[in-house]
Amino acid sequence: MPRKETLFCSFCGRPIKRNEFHVNGIDALMCDECCETVSNIVRENHIHAEKNKKRELKFKLLKPIEIKEKLDEYVIGQEEAKKVIAVAVYNHYKRLLHAAQDNNDVELEKSNIMLVGETGTGKTLLARTIARLLDVPFCIADATVFTEAGYVGEDVESILSRLLQAADYNVEKAECGIVFIDEIDKIARKGADNPSITRDVSGEGVQQAMLKLLEGATVNVPPEGGRKHPEQKFIVVNTQNILFIASGAFNQMDKIIAERLNTNRIGYNQENRVLDKNNMMQYITAQDLKNFGLIPELCGRFPMITYLSSLDKDALKRILLEPKNALIKQYERLFIFDGIELTFTEDAIDYIVDKTISLKLGARGLRSIMERIMTNAMYEFPSSKQKKIEIDKKYAAGQMGEKGD
């Protein structure tokens, strides 16, 4: 019987003795030295991947009280909303930080947030400020641009394209970010109580498409956004750890809440609880969102629901003066660059606030009026030799086309 030929390692090529340890495959052999080398490479790659994962999860996690204190520096009022958001955000990112070390069988689910309030009450500002405090990727998406597949518009997955861009296409970093979905009330079912025979291409179908993103799923994301097509390359993103914050004005929601609470009984509801009819939003529940036209499954994906109150005269005045980025401070800073000291009289500030209230645009209306009042001053005074400017009510009214007192 002929002797078998000498064995050689298929990787390094050296001969293998018959009593020497080796790994035998279908069409290949590996000697003990190559086995050890491959084992070390796998181990180093695993350690490197774990280090990268830990580095990506390093964000500034503040306690709920600390988060609210930081929010107070930028957002005036809305105490209840700031508390709810602080707790939800803290629990969400605490869950992320301890997920790798926690061997407990209890699986912690994330709590997406729904913000309800009139335009200009600070919904977007709250979300943007939270992302800046935590130093995580943040993007804003408008729900009104999304339609069902097959119709002109964008797929809901393109929301994540914006988040990837904010994270410089670092997938691990993006998977710990915050997505803010604005105008979510605009995709409510048309005629929730009276279904229409026409196709609701930007309503219930879009809500259904959002469910897997909100719950947590592995999604193929088109890098440039827009519609998917077969020849396109995709980036795989897991939405399990992405925090979604949705907001909407939900016009006429107060009537839906009032009907549910049966406010026909003067000042009391069926539970004999005194109601504040001037701020019915504080009683909002998931049931009210459902009655408005959001499908129950979508309501369930937003367990944290909070409201933002309408801004009164005092709140608008404080917004003008107190936050770190207050409008008055911004204009004063702009004029300092030109060596000009800018001041506003008390009656001018009151005039600006009163005009904002009349427009019913909330804090967003403050900037519109300020821009209109200050445009001519910003055009003329940088070229003048005047070093001090005082804006009074007469000047402000004049710029608005009115007569000052």
Side-chain angles (χ1 to χ4, degrees):
M1 183 174 179
R3 188 173 179 175
K4 293 182 180 180
E5 59 183 12
T6 304
L7 302 177
F8 293 91
C9 176
S10 302
F11 293 87
C12 67
R14 82 175 180 86
I16 302 174
K17 296 179 181 179
R18 300 205 171 267
N19 60 348
E20 186 179 352
F21 173 80
H22 65 276
V23 175
N24 191 7
I26 296 176
D27 294 316
L29 297 174
M30 183 182 291
C31 67
D32 58 347
E33 293 181 3
C34 288
C35 287
E36 184 177 357
T37 300
V38 171
S39 177
N40 290 334
I41 291 174
V42 171
R43 188 182 303 109
E44 288 175 4
N45 286 341
H46 180 71
I47 293 172
H48 181 69
E50 287 298 316
K51 286 182 178 179
N52 285 341
K53 185 177 180 181
K54 292 180 181 179
R55 184 171 61 248
E56 294 298 343
L57 289 178
K58 284 187 177 180
F59 38 73
K60 302 175 184 177
L61 183 60
L62 304 175
K63 301 293 176 61
I65 292 178
E66 296 172 332
I67 293 174
K68 184 184 177 299
E69 288 174 350
K70 291 291 185 180
L71 289 174
D72 289 339
E73 297 178 5
Y74 296 93
V75 183
I76 297 298
Q78 313 300 1
E79 300 300 313
E80 184 64 26
K82 286 188 283 193
K83 286 181 182 178
V84 171
I85 291 175
V87 170
V89 168
Y90 175 70
N91 286 339
H92 175 76
Y93 284 100
K94 179 173 63 175
R95 161 181 164 267
L96 264 62
L97 284 175
H98 294 280
Q101 297 84 10
D102 193 0
N103 295 321
N104 198 304
D105 293 334
V106 178
E107 184 178 348
L108 301 176
E109 297 181 355
K110 65 176 176 177
S111 296
N112 297 317
I113 308 168
M114 177 73 74
L115 303 178
V116 180
E118 296 178 1
T119 181
T121 50
K123 301 185 293 293
T124 308
L125 178 60
L126 277 171
R128 193 188 298 276
T129 304
I130 283 288
R132 185 168 62 248
L133 293 178
L134 297 176
D135 192 22
V136 295
F138 173 77
C139 74
I140 299 177
D142 192 334
T144 58
V145 303
F146 302 117
T147 58
E148 290 186 56
Y151 293 86
V152 176
E154 294 187 29
D155 288 325
V156 293
E157 287 87 351
S158 64
I159 295 174
L160 301 178
S161 300
R162 296 180 176 87
L163 188 64
L164 281 170
Q165 292 167 8
D168 294 326
Y169 290 93
N170 183 324
V171 177
E172 290 79 9
K173 193 173 181 181
E175 289 177 342
C176 298
I178 296 177
V179 173
F180 183 78
I181 306 175
D182 201 8
E183 306 286 1
I184 198 166
D185 54 317
K186 303 302 187 296
I187 61 169
R189 286 183 291 188
K190 303 297 185 293
D193 297 325
N194 299 300
S196 171
I197 60 172
T198 58
R199 186 69 170 165
D200 186 15
V201 300
S202 61
E204 184 174 350
V206 175
Q207 294 185 52
Q208 295 283 359
M210 281 186 177
L211 296 180
K212 66 175 183 178
L213 268 69
L214 300 171
E215 181 72 18
T218 301
V219 181
N220 292 325
V221 182
E224 304 301 327
R227 286 291 186 200
K228 294 180 178 179
H229 55 83
E231 297 179 359
Q232 191 176 24
K233 292 183 179 180
F234 298 106
I235 298 176
V236 179
V237 177
N238 189 336
T239 66
Q240 181 66 39
N241 296 327
I242 296 175
L243 180 64
F244 289 89
I245 303 177
S247 80
F250 291 91
N251 295 323
Q252 309 299 318
M253 177 64 82
D254 54 343
K255 295 181 180 179
I256 294 175
I257 298 172
E259 183 178 350
R260 174 175 59 83
L261 294 176
N262 188 18
T263 54
N264 292 331
R265 298 178 61 181
I266 303 173
Y268 292 85
N269 69 344
Q270 292 179 348
E271 299 174 355
N272 294 326
R273 179 178 59 180
V274 177
L275 300 176
D276 180 5
K277 290 189 177 183
N278 294 322
N279 187 11
M280 296 300 293
M281 284 293 192
Q282 64 184 298
Y283 308 114
I284 191 168
T285 65
Q287 180 183 345
D288 301 315
L289 296 176
K290 176 178 174 292
N291 292 337
F292 186 87
L294 298 185
I295 60 176
E297 297 88 343
L298 188 71
C299 297
R301 292 334 192 258
F302 290 97
M304 303 293 289
I305 304 173
T306 188
Y307 69 97
L308 285 85
S309 304
S310 301
L311 300 172
D312 57 17
K313 183 174 181 178
D314 180 63
L316 288 171
K317 190 171 182 178
R318 291 179 61 199
I319 289 170
L320 269 181
L321 300 170
E322 294 182 13
K324 282 189 173 182
N325 59 341
L327 279 174
I328 295 292
K329 294 178 183 178
Q330 292 183 40
Y331 283 100
E332 289 174 347
R333 187 67 178 168
L334 284 173
F335 276 86
I336 284 176
F337 293 152
D338 293 314
I340 300 172
E341 181 183 344
L342 175 69
T343 58
F344 289 80
T345 63
E346 192 71 20
D347 61 350
I349 293 173
D350 289 337
Y351 173 80
I352 293 169
V353 170
D354 290 338
K355 290 297 294 183
T356 302
I357 292 175
S358 67
L359 290 177
K360 298 181 179 180
L361 292 177
R364 196 171 281 113
L366 288 173
R367 177 170 285 278
S368 299
I369 292 174
M370 287 288 289
E371 285 290 339
R372 188 170 173 182
I373 291 173
M374 297 303 300
T375 296
N376 285 332
M378 290 188 292
Y379 176 76
E380 297 170 359
F381 289 113
S383 300
S384 71
K385 296 181 179 180
Q386 193 168 344
K387 298 301 178 183
K388 288 187 178 182
I389 303 172
E390 183 180 76
I391 305 297
D392 57 15
K393 181 180 179 180
K394 182 178 180 180
Y395 178 85
Q399 297 301 309
M400 295 293 293
E402 301 175 359
K403 291 183 179 180
D405 294 338

